[in-house]
Amino acid sequence: MEALTTSRVVPLQVPCRKPSSIFANFSCLESRRYPCGGRVSIVNHSKFLRPVTASVQPQELSALGYEGNIVPSNEILDLWQSVEAVCFDVDSTVCVDEGIDELAEFCGAGKAVAEWTARGMGGSVPFEEALAARLSLFKPSLAKVEEYLEKRPPRLSPGIEELVKKLRANNIDVYLISGGFRQMISPVASILGIPRENIFANNLLFGNSGEFLGFDENEPTSRSGGKAKAVEQIRKGRFYKTMAMIGDGATDLEARKPGGADLFICYAGVQLREAVAAKADWLIFKFESLLNSLD
């Protein structure tokens, strides 16, 4: 796939809130051991979770230069209205943040990691290379991840809770497919009522003393083409006739392929990656567009 390098960041206006100690009343992490000798900590169901819904101000449509995919064709609309499963990217889609960037900033390496994120999401370097490079810059310990989760609740994109609720009410299965980490995505899934088994994401690995060991390279989302592979696995295992992938990056676009997603919807309410948006079946800036079309 050719490099997708051009991106434009859409400014956000997010109301400041004092972080709440959302995990103070229960043990939020469980550990799973892996053959490599490390362990991965995964967030448990969090009934105390209070997400922050961000206010996103997208660019004016007239300034974008896109015409063909802002208004969906009848064929695309029919596909959307017939989907049996919808796969969402998490960072800059379900949530307004890039999770690894936020964790890196919390650990004091935000700028350097964000530069690698832009390269990886744009498609100019293999995803696994960008992931390893980013983690090597700050090597988060288990204690630091726990502190981050306690102090920084998820910031959800406007309208995502309503859309997921509507999809589930229509008996449409919802999945979260992310190059981020289960430790940070499990709380988001809990808020949205998405089963843990419907999460496809990476795992941070820690030693017995909580030291950072790396990430689980057996996860399909740990490498380039991983989201496409995850969608293929879901479709093959559940026999879905029609699936959609919703996201903002090159790795999300890759999931639209024979045997994978039938439909790629580019959500540009947080970031507009122009080369990705130009190839989308449908370009949206608000989840309300998808919600209204389901009525």
Side-chain angles (χ1 to χ4, degrees):
M1 184 176 183
E2 70 271 22
L4 303 178
T5 57
T6 305
S7 65
R8 180 186 302 164
V9 177
V10 179
L12 302 178
Q13 294 181 357
V14 180
C16 296
R17 289 193 182 183
K18 183 179 180 181
S20 58
S21 184
I22 57 177
F23 295 101
N25 297 319
F26 65 100
S27 176
C28 66
L29 300 176
E30 66 182 51
S31 295
R32 294 183 185 175
R33 296 191 175 275
Y34 281 75
C36 64
R39 63 179 181 175
V40 57
S41 297
I42 301 176
V43 180
N44 285 327
H45 177 75
S46 0
K47 64 182 179 180
F48 302 102
L49 218 64
R50 293 191 178 94
V52 176
T53 300
S55 174
V56 178
Q57 300 295 329
Q59 299 180 28
E60 292 295 328
L61 298 183
S62 59
L64 296 176
Y66 297 112
E67 296 179 0
N69 61 358
I70 291 176
V71 177
S73 66
N74 290 335
E75 179 183 2
I76 295 303
L77 195 56
D78 287 343
L79 273 175
W80 169 245
Q81 293 173 340
S82 66
V83 293
E84 297 178 349
V86 178
C87 301
F88 287 93
D89 171 45
V90 177
D91 296 336
S92 296
T93 301
V94 169
C95 296
V96 301
D97 300 311
E98 288 289 334
I100 190 170
D101 291 359
E102 292 296 304
L103 179 60
E105 188 275 330
F106 188 77
C107 296
K111 182 178 179 180
V113 170
E115 291 174 354
W116 269 101
T117 296
R119 294 173 67 183
M121 289 302 294
S124 59
V125 297
F127 179 81
E128 59 270 27
E129 180 182 336
L131 180 60
R134 287 180 290 176
L135 288 172
S136 69
L137 290 170
F138 66 107
K139 299 179 180 178
S141 67
L142 177 58
K144 203 67 177 179
V145 172
E146 290 177 326
E147 182 184 2
Y148 172 83
L149 292 171
E150 179 180 350
K151 293 183 177 180
R152 297 198 179 179
R155 300 196 304 167
L156 301 182
S157 293
I160 189 62
E161 289 185 86
E162 293 81 1
L163 176 58
V164 170
K165 182 178 180 180
K166 180 67 172 180
L167 291 169
R168 296 176 65 222
N170 288 1
N171 295 316
I172 298 170
D173 293 333
V174 177
Y175 295 83
L176 298 179
I177 303 182
S178 175
F181 303 107
R182 290 180 182 271
Q183 288 87 348
M184 301 162 72
I185 293 171
S186 290
V188 177
S190 295
I191 294 166
L192 298 176
I194 297 172
R196 179 171 294 174
E197 59 267 25
N198 286 14
I199 300 174
F200 288 74
N202 292 316
N203 283 319
L204 289 172
L205 301 179
F206 303 99
N208 291 328
S209 299
E211 72 275 16
F212 172 75
L213 294 180
F215 61 93
D216 183 7
E217 296 181 1
N218 293 319
E219 293 285 354
T221 53
S222 69
R223 52 192 176 273
S224 294
K227 289 186 180 180
K229 186 67 175 178
V231 173
E232 289 176 2
Q233 290 179 3
I234 293 168
R235 186 163 195 158
K236 184 176 180 180
R238 297 294 298 272
F239 304 103
Y240 293 121
K241 294 181 180 179
T242 309
M243 296 182 67
M245 180 74 204
I246 301 175
D248 70 297
T251 57
D252 306 309
L253 174 61
E254 290 175 342
R256 184 191 60 194
K257 58 185 297 187
D262 304 280
L263 177 67
F264 171 62
I265 299 172
C266 179
Y267 174 69
V270 178
Q271 293 200 37
L272 172 64
R273 305 182 194 277
E274 295 182 356
V276 177
K279 295 185 178 182
D281 296 303
W282 189 356
L283 173 61
I284 65 168
F285 292 83
K286 296 181 180 180
F287 286 119
E288 184 180 4
S289 302
L290 301 181
L291 181 63
N292 292 341
S293 66
L294 292 173
D295 292 331

CSV table of all heavy atoms in Angstrom, one decimal, residues 207-260:
chain,number,residue,atom,x,y,z
A,207,GLY,N,7.1,-7.5,33.9
A,207,GLY,CA,7.8,-8.5,34.7
A,207,GLY,C,7.1,-8.6,36.0
A,207,GLY,O,6.2,-7.9,36.4
A,208,ASN,N,7.7,-9.5,36.9
A,208,ASN,CA,7.1,-9.8,38.2
A,208,ASN,C,7.2,-8.6,39.1
A,208,ASN,O,6.4,-8.5,40.0
A,208,ASN,CB,7.8,-11.0,38.8
A,208,ASN,CG,7.5,-12.3,38.1
A,208,ASN,OD1,6.4,-12.5,37.5
A,208,ASN,ND2,8.5,-13.2,38.1
A,209,SER,N,8.1,-7.7,38.8
A,209,SER,CA,8.2,-6.5,39.7
A,209,SER,C,7.5,-5.3,39.0
A,209,SER,O,7.6,-4.1,39.5
A,209,SER,CB,9.7,-6.1,39.9
A,209,SER,OG,10.3,-7.2,40.6
A,210,GLY,N,6.7,-5.5,37.9
A,210,GLY,CA,6.0,-4.5,37.3
A,210,GLY,C,6.8,-3.7,36.3
A,210,GLY,O,6.4,-2.7,35.7
A,211,GLU,N,8.0,-4.2,36.0
A,211,GLU,CA,8.9,-3.5,35.0
A,211,GLU,C,8.4,-3.8,33.6
A,211,GLU,O,7.9,-4.8,33.3
A,211,GLU,CB,10.3,-3.9,35.2
A,211,GLU,CG,10.7,-5.3,34.7
A,211,GLU,CD,10.5,-6.4,35.7
A,211,GLU,OE1,9.7,-6.1,36.7
A,211,GLU,OE2,11.0,-7.5,35.5
A,212,PHE,N,8.6,-2.8,32.7
A,212,PHE,CA,8.1,-2.9,31.3
A,212,PHE,C,9.0,-4.0,30.6
A,212,PHE,O,10.2,-3.9,30.7
A,212,PHE,CB,8.3,-1.6,30.6
A,212,PHE,CG,8.0,-1.6,29.1
A,212,PHE,CD1,6.8,-1.8,28.6
A,212,PHE,CD2,9.1,-1.5,28.3
A,212,PHE,CE1,6.5,-1.8,27.3
A,212,PHE,CE2,8.9,-1.5,26.9
A,212,PHE,CZ,7.6,-1.7,26.4
A,213,LEU,N,8.4,-4.9,29.9
A,213,LEU,CA,9.1,-5.9,29.1
A,213,LEU,C,8.9,-5.7,27.6
A,213,LEU,O,9.8,-6.2,26.8
A,213,LEU,CB,8.6,-7.3,29.5
A,213,LEU,CG,8.9,-7.8,30.9
A,213,LEU,CD1,8.4,-9.2,31.1
A,213,LEU,CD2,10.4,-7.7,31.2
A,214,GLY,N,7.8,-5.1,27.2
A,214,GLY,CA,7.5,-5.0,25.8
A,214,GLY,C,6.1,-5.2,25.5
A,214,GLY,O,5.2,-4.8,26.4
A,215,PHE,N,5.7,-5.7,24.3
A,215,PHE,CA,4.4,-5.9,24.0
A,215,PHE,C,4.2,-7.3,23.3
A,215,PHE,O,5.2,-7.8,22.8
A,215,PHE,CB,3.8,-4.8,23.1
A,215,PHE,CG,4.5,-4.7,21.7
A,215,PHE,CD1,4.1,-5.4,20.6
A,215,PHE,CD2,5.7,-3.9,21.6
A,215,PHE,CE1,4.7,-5.3,19.4
A,215,PHE,CE2,6.3,-3.8,20.4
A,215,PHE,CZ,5.8,-4.5,19.3
A,216,ASP,N,3.0,-7.8,23.4
A,216,ASP,CA,2.8,-9.2,22.9
A,216,ASP,C,2.7,-9.1,21.4
A,216,ASP,O,1.8,-8.6,20.8
A,216,ASP,CB,1.5,-9.7,23.4
A,216,ASP,CG,1.2,-11.1,23.0
A,216,ASP,OD1,2.0,-11.7,22.4
A,216,ASP,OD2,0.0,-11.6,23.3
A,217,GLU,N,3.7,-9.7,20.7
A,217,GLU,CA,3.8,-9.6,19.3
A,217,GLU,C,2.9,-10.7,18.6
A,217,GLU,O,2.9,-10.7,17.4
A,217,GLU,CB,5.3,-9.9,18.9
A,217,GLU,CG,6.2,-8.8,19.3
A,217,GLU,CD,7.7,-9.0,18.9
A,217,GLU,OE1,7.9,-10.0,18.2
A,217,GLU,OE2,8.5,-8.2,19.2
A,218,ASN,N,2.2,-11.5,19.4
A,218,ASN,CA,1.3,-12.5,18.8
A,218,ASN,C,0.0,-11.8,18.5
A,218,ASN,O,-0.8,-12.5,17.8
A,218,ASN,CB,1.1,-13.6,19.8
A,218,ASN,CG,2.4,-14.5,19.9
A,218,ASN,OD1,3.1,-14.7,18.9
A,218,ASN,ND2,2.7,-14.9,21.1
A,219,GLU,N,-0.3,-10.7,19.0
A,219,GLU,CA,-1.6,-10.0,18.7
A,219,GLU,C,-1.5,-9.5,17.3
A,219,GLU,O,-0.6,-8.9,16.8
A,219,GLU,CB,-1.8,-8.8,19.6
A,219,GLU,CG,-2.0,-9.1,21.1
A,219,GLU,CD,-3.4,-9.7,21.3
A,219,GLU,OE1,-4.2,-9.7,20.4
A,219,GLU,OE2,-3.6,-10.1,22.5
A,220,PRO,N,-2.6,-9.7,16.5
A,220,PRO,CA,-2.6,-9.3,15.1
A,220,PRO,C,-2.5,-7.8,14.9
A,220,PRO,O,-1.9,-7.3,13.9
A,220,PRO,CB,-4.0,-9.8,14.6
A,220,PRO,CG,-4.8,-10.1,15.8
A,220,PRO,CD,-3.8,-10.5,16.9
A,221,THR,N,-3.0,-7.0,15.9
A,221,THR,CA,-2.9,-5.6,15.8
A,221,THR,C,-1.5,-5.0,16.1
A,221,THR,O,-1.4,-3.8,16.1
A,221,THR,CB,-4.0,-4.9,16.7
A,221,THR,OG1,-3.8,-5.4,18.0
A,221,THR,CG2,-5.4,-5.2,16.2
A,222,SER,N,-0.6,-5.9,16.4
A,222,SER,CA,0.8,-5.4,16.7
A,222,SER,C,1.6,-5.1,15.5
A,222,SER,O,2.8,-4.7,15.6
A,222,SER,CB,1.5,-6.4,17.7
A,222,SER,OG,1.8,-7.6,17.0
A,223,ARG,N,1.1,-5.3,14.3
A,223,ARG,CA,1.9,-5.2,13.1
A,223,ARG,C,1.0,-4.6,12.0
A,223,ARG,O,-0.2,-4.6,12.1
A,223,ARG,CB,2.5,-6.5,12.7
A,223,ARG,CG,1.5,-7.7,12.6
A,223,ARG,CD,2.2,-9.0,12.5
A,223,ARG,NE,1.2,-10.1,12.5
A,223,ARG,CZ,0.7,-10.7,13.6
A,223,ARG,NH1,1.2,-10.3,14.7
A,223,ARG,NH2,-0.1,-11.7,13.5
A,224,SER,N,1.7,-4.2,10.9
A,224,SER,CA,1.0,-3.6,9.8
A,224,SER,C,0.0,-4.7,9.2
A,224,SER,O,0.4,-5.9,9.1
A,224,SER,CB,2.0,-3.2,8.7
A,224,SER,OG,2.8,-2.1,9.1
A,225,GLY,N,-1.1,-4.2,8.8
A,225,GLY,CA,-2.1,-5.1,8.3
A,225,GLY,C,-2.9,-5.8,9.4
A,225,GLY,O,-3.8,-6.7,9.1
A,226,GLY,N,-2.6,-5.5,10.6
A,226,GLY,CA,-3.2,-6.3,11.7
A,226,GLY,C,-4.7,-6.1,11.9
A,226,GLY,O,-5.4,-7.0,12.2
A,227,LYS,N,-5.1,-4.8,11.6
A,227,LYS,CA,-6.6,-4.6,11.8
A,227,LYS,C,-7.4,-5.3,10.7
A,227,LYS,O,-8.4,-5.9,11.0
A,227,LYS,CB,-6.9,-3.1,11.7
A,227,LYS,CG,-6.4,-2.3,12.9
A,227,LYS,CD,-6.8,-0.9,12.9
A,227,LYS,CE,-6.4,-0.1,14.1
A,227,LYS,NZ,-6.8,1.3,14.1
A,228,ALA,N,-6.8,-5.4,9.5
A,228,ALA,CA,-7.4,-6.1,8.4
A,228,ALA,C,-7.5,-7.6,8.8
A,228,ALA,O,-8.5,-8.3,8.6
A,228,ALA,CB,-6.7,-5.9,7.1
A,229,LYS,N,-6.4,-8.1,9.4
A,229,LYS,CA,-6.4,-9.5,9.8
A,229,LYS,C,-7.4,-9.8,10.9
A,229,LYS,O,-8.1,-10.8,10.9
A,229,LYS,CB,-5.0,-9.8,10.4
A,229,LYS,CG,-4.8,-11.3,10.7
A,229,LYS,CD,-4.9,-12.2,9.5
A,229,LYS,CE,-4.5,-13.6,9.8
A,229,LYS,NZ,-4.6,-14.5,8.7
A,230,ALA,N,-7.6,-8.8,11.8
A,230,ALA,CA,-8.5,-9.0,12.9
A,230,ALA,C,-10.0,-9.0,12.4
A,230,ALA,O,-10.8,-9.8,12.8
A,230,ALA,CB,-8.4,-7.9,13.9
A,231,VAL,N,-10.3,-8.1,11.4
A,231,VAL,CA,-11.6,-8.1,10.8
A,231,VAL,C,-11.9,-9.4,10.1
A,231,VAL,O,-13.0,-10.0,10.1
A,231,VAL,CB,-11.7,-6.9,9.9
A,231,VAL,CG1,-13.1,-7.0,9.1
A,231,VAL,CG2,-11.7,-5.6,10.7
A,232,GLU,N,-10.9,-9.9,9.4
A,232,GLU,CA,-11.0,-11.2,8.7
A,232,GLU,C,-11.3,-12.3,9.7
A,232,GLU,O,-12.2,-13.2,9.4
A,232,GLU,CB,-9.7,-11.5,7.9
A,232,GLU,CG,-9.5,-10.6,6.7
A,232,GLU,CD,-8.2,-10.9,6.0
A,232,GLU,OE1,-7.5,-11.9,6.4
A,232,GLU,OE2,-7.9,-10.3,5.0
A,233,GLN,N,-10.6,-12.3,10.8
A,233,GLN,CA,-10.8,-13.4,11.8
A,233,GLN,C,-12.3,-13.3,12.4
A,233,GLN,O,-12.9,-14.3,12.6
A,233,GLN,CB,-9.8,-13.2,13.0
A,233,GLN,CG,-8.4,-13.6,12.6
A,233,GLN,CD,-7.4,-13.4,13.7
A,233,GLN,OE1,-7.8,-13.0,14.8
A,233,GLN,NE2,-6.2,-13.6,13.5
A,234,ILE,N,-12.7,-12.1,12.6
A,234,ILE,CA,-14.1,-11.9,13.1
A,234,ILE,C,-15.1,-12.4,12.2
A,234,ILE,O,-16.0,-13.1,12.5
A,234,ILE,CB,-14.3,-10.4,13.5
A,234,ILE,CG1,-13.4,-9.9,14.6
A,234,ILE,CG2,-15.8,-10.1,13.8
A,234,ILE,CD1,-13.4,-8.4,14.8
A,235,ARG,N,-14.9,-12.0,10.9
A,235,ARG,CA,-15.9,-12.4,9.9
A,235,ARG,C,-15.9,-13.9,9.7
A,235,ARG,O,-17.0,-14.5,9.6
A,235,ARG,CB,-15.6,-11.7,8.6
A,235,ARG,CG,-16.6,-11.9,7.5
A,235,ARG,CD,-16.5,-10.9,6.4
A,235,ARG,NE,-17.6,-10.9,5.5
A,235,ARG,CZ,-18.0,-9.9,4.8
A,235,ARG,NH1,-17.3,-8.8,4.7
A,235,ARG,NH2,-19.1,-9.9,4.0
A,236,LYS,N,-14.8,-14.5,9.6
A,236,LYS,CA,-14.7,-15.9,9.4
A,236,LYS,C,-15.3,-16.7,10.6
A,236,LYS,O,-16.0,-17.7,10.4
A,236,LYS,CB,-13.2,-16.3,9.3
A,236,LYS,CG,-13.0,-17.8,8.9
A,236,LYS,CD,-11.6,-18.1,8.7
A,236,LYS,CE,-11.4,-19.6,8.3
A,236,LYS,NZ,-9.9,-19.9,8.1
A,237,GLY,N,-15.1,-16.2,11.8
A,237,GLY,CA,-15.6,-16.8,13.0
A,237,GLY,C,-17.0,-16.7,13.3
A,237,GLY,O,-17.7,-17.5,13.8
A,238,ARG,N,-17.6,-15.5,12.8
A,238,ARG,CA,-19.0,-15.2,13.1
A,238,ARG,C,-19.9,-15.3,11.9
A,238,ARG,O,-21.1,-15.1,12.0
A,238,ARG,CB,-19.1,-13.8,13.8
A,238,ARG,CG,-18.4,-13.7,15.1
A,238,ARG,CD,-19.0,-14.6,16.2
A,238,ARG,NE,-20.3,-14.2,16.5
A,238,ARG,CZ,-20.7,-13.2,17.4
A,238,ARG,NH1,-19.7,-12.6,18.0
A,238,ARG,NH2,-21.9,-12.9,17.6
A,239,PHE,N,-19.3,-15.5,10.7
A,239,PHE,CA,-20.1,-15.6,9.5
A,239,PHE,C,-21.0,-14.4,9.2
A,239,PHE,O,-22.1,-14.5,8.7
A,239,PHE,CB,-21.0,-16.9,9.5
A,239,PHE,CG,-20.2,-18.1,9.8
A,239,PHE,CD1,-20.2,-18.7,11.0
A,239,PHE,CD2,-19.4,-18.7,8.8
A,239,PHE,CE1,-19.5,-19.9,11.3
A,239,PHE,CE2,-18.7,-19.9,9.0
A,239,PHE,CZ,-18.8,-20.5,10.3
A,240,TYR,N,-20.4,-13.2,9.4
A,240,TYR,CA,-21.2,-12.0,9.1
A,240,TYR,C,-21.2,-11.8,7.6
A,240,TYR,O,-20.3,-12.1,6.9
A,240,TYR,CB,-20.5,-10.8,9.7
A,240,TYR,CG,-20.5,-10.7,11.2
A,240,TYR,CD1,-19.3,-10.7,11.9
A,240,TYR,CD2,-21.7,-10.7,11.9
A,240,TYR,CE1,-19.3,-10.6,13.3
A,240,TYR,CE2,-21.7,-10.7,13.3
A,240,TYR,CZ,-20.5,-10.6,14.0
A,240,TYR,OH,-20.5,-10.5,15.4
A,241,LYS,N,-22.4,-11.4,7.1
A,241,LYS,CA,-22.5,-11.1,5.7
A,241,LYS,C,-22.0,-9.7,5.3
A,241,LYS,O,-21.5,-9.5,4.2
A,241,LYS,CB,-24.0,-11.2,5.3
A,241,LYS,CG,-24.6,-12.6,5.4
A,241,LYS,CD,-26.0,-12.7,5.0
A,241,LYS,CE,-26.6,-14.1,5.1
A,241,LYS,NZ,-28.0,-14.2,4.7
A,242,THR,N,-22.2,-8.7,6.2
A,242,THR,CA,-21.8,-7.4,5.9
A,242,THR,C,-21.2,-6.8,7.1
A,242,THR,O,-21.8,-6.8,8.2
A,242,THR,CB,-23.0,-6.5,5.5
A,242,THR,OG1,-23.7,-7.2,4.4
A,242,THR,CG2,-22.5,-5.1,5.0
A,243,MET,N,-20.0,-6.2,7.0
A,243,MET,CA,-19.3,-5.5,8.1
A,243,MET,C,-18.8,-4.1,7.7
A,243,MET,O,-18.5,-3.9,6.5
A,243,MET,CB,-18.1,-6.4,8.5
A,243,MET,CG,-18.4,-7.7,9.1
A,243,MET,SD,-16.9,-8.6,9.6
A,243,MET,CE,-16.4,-7.6,11.0
A,244,ALA,N,-18.7,-3.3,8.6
A,244,ALA,CA,-18.2,-1.9,8.4
A,244,ALA,C,-17.0,-1.7,9.3
A,244,ALA,O,-17.0,-2.2,10.5
A,244,ALA,CB,-19.2,-0.9,8.6
A,245,MET,N,-16.0,-0.9,8.9
A,245,MET,CA,-14.9,-0.5,9.7
A,245,MET,C,-14.9,1.0,9.7
A,245,MET,O,-15.1,1.7,8.7
A,245,MET,CB,-13.6,-0.9,9.1
A,245,MET,CG,-12.3,-0.5,9.9
A,245,MET,SD,-12.1,-1.4,11.4
A,245,MET,CE,-11.1,-0.3,12.4
A,246,ILE,N,-14.8,1.6,11.0
A,246,ILE,CA,-14.9,3.0,11.2
A,246,ILE,C,-13.6,3.5,11.9
A,246,ILE,O,-13.3,3.0,12.9
A,246,ILE,CB,-16.1,3.5,12.0
A,246,ILE,CG1,-17.4,3.0,11.3
A,246,ILE,CG2,-16.1,5.0,12.2
A,246,ILE,CD1,-18.7,3.3,12.1
A,247,GLY,N,-12.9,4.4,11.3
A,247,GLY,CA,-11.7,4.9,11.9
A,247,GLY,C,-11.1,6.1,11.1
A,247,GLY,O,-11.8,6.6,10.2
A,248,ASP,N,-9.9,6.5,11.5
A,248,ASP,CA,-9.3,7.7,10.9
A,248,ASP,C,-8.0,7.5,10.2
A,248,ASP,O,-7.5,8.4,9.6
A,248,ASP,CB,-9.1,8.7,12.0
A,248,ASP,CG,-8.0,8.3,13.0
A,248,ASP,OD1,-8.1,7.3,13.6
A,248,ASP,OD2,-6.9,9.0,13.0
A,249,GLY,N,-7.4,6.3,10.3
A,249,GLY,CA,-6.1,6.1,9.8
A,249,GLY,C,-5.9,5.1,8.7
A,249,GLY,O,-6.8,4.4,8.3
A,250,ALA,N,-4.7,5.0,8.2
A,250,ALA,CA,-4.3,4.1,7.2
A,250,ALA,C,-4.6,2.7,7.5
A,250,ALA,O,-5.0,1.8,6.7
A,250,ALA,CB,-2.9,4.3,6.7
A,251,THR,N,-4.3,2.3,8.8
A,251,THR,CA,-4.5,0.9,9.3
A,251,THR,C,-6.0,0.6,9.3
A,251,THR,O,-6.3,-0.6,9.1
A,251,THR,CB,-3.9,0.7,10.7
A,251,THR,OG1,-4.5,1.7,11.6
A,251,THR,CG2,-2.4,0.9,10.6
A,252,ASP,N,-6.9,1.5,9.4
A,252,ASP,CA,-8.3,1.3,9.4
A,252,ASP,C,-8.8,1.1,7.9
A,252,ASP,O,-9.6,0.2,7.6
A,252,ASP,CB,-9.1,2.5,10.0
A,252,ASP,CG,-8.6,2.8,11.4
A,252,ASP,OD1,-8.5,1.8,12.2
A,252,ASP,OD2,-8.3,3.9,11.7
A,253,LEU,N,-8.2,1.9,7.0
A,253,LEU,CA,-8.5,1.8,5.6
A,253,LEU,C,-8.2,0.4,5.1
A,253,LEU,O,-8.9,-0.2,4.2
A,253,LEU,CB,-7.8,2.9,4.9
A,253,LEU,CG,-7.9,2.9,3.3
A,253,LEU,CD1,-9.4,3.0,2.9
A,253,LEU,CD2,-7.0,4.0,2.7
A,254,GLU,N,-7.1,-0.2,5.6
A,254,GLU,CA,-6.6,-1.5,5.2
A,254,GLU,C,-7.6,-2.6,5.4
A,254,GLU,O,-7.6,-3.6,4.7
A,254,GLU,CB,-5.3,-1.8,5.9
A,254,GLU,CG,-4.1,-1.0,5.4
A,254,GLU,CD,-2.8,-1.3,6.2
A,254,GLU,OE1,-3.0,-1.9,7.3
A,254,GLU,OE2,-1.7,-1.0,5.8
A,255,ALA,N,-8.5,-2.4,6.4
A,255,ALA,CA,-9.4,-3.4,6.8
A,255,ALA,C,-10.5,-3.6,5.7
A,255,ALA,O,-11.2,-4.6,5.7
A,255,ALA,CB,-10.1,-3.1,8.1
A,256,ARG,N,-10.7,-2.6,4.8
A,256,ARG,CA,-11.7,-2.8,3.7
A,256,ARG,C,-11.0,-3.6,2.6
A,256,ARG,O,-10.2,-3.1,1.8
A,256,ARG,CB,-12.1,-1.4,3.2
A,256,ARG,CG,-13.2,-1.5,2.1
A,256,ARG,CD,-13.4,-0.2,1.5
A,256,ARG,NE,-12.2,0.3,0.8
A,256,ARG,CZ,-12.0,1.5,0.4
A,256,ARG,NH1,-13.0,2.4,0.5
A,256,ARG,NH2,-10.9,1.9,-0.2
A,257,LYS,N,-11.3,-4.9,2.5
A,257,LYS,CA,-10.8,-5.7,1.5
A,257,LYS,C,-11.6,-7.0,1.4
A,257,LYS,O,-12.4,-7.2,2.3
A,257,LYS,CB,-9.3,-6.1,1.9
A,257,LYS,CG,-9.2,-6.8,3.3
A,257,LYS,CD,-7.8,-7.1,3.7
A,257,LYS,CE,-7.1,-8.0,2.8
A,257,LYS,NZ,-5.8,-8.4,3.3
A,258,PRO,N,-11.5,-7.8,0.4
A,258,PRO,CA,-12.3,-9.0,0.2
A,258,PRO,C,-12.0,-9.9,1.4
A,258,PRO,O,-10.9,-10.1,1.8
A,258,PRO,CB,-11.7,-9.6,-1.0
A,258,PRO,CG,-11.3,-8.5,-1.9
A,258,PRO,CD,-10.7,-7.5,-0.9
A,259,GLY,N,-13.1,-10.4,2.1
A,259,GLY,CA,-13.0,-11.2,3.2
A,259,GLY,C,-12.9,-10.4,4.5
A,259,GLY,O,-12.9,-10.9,5.6
A,260,GLY,N,-12.8,-9.0,4.4
A,260,GLY,CA,-12.7,-8.2,5.5
A,260,GLY,C,-14.0,-7.3,5.6
A,260,GLY,O,-15.1,-7.7,5.4
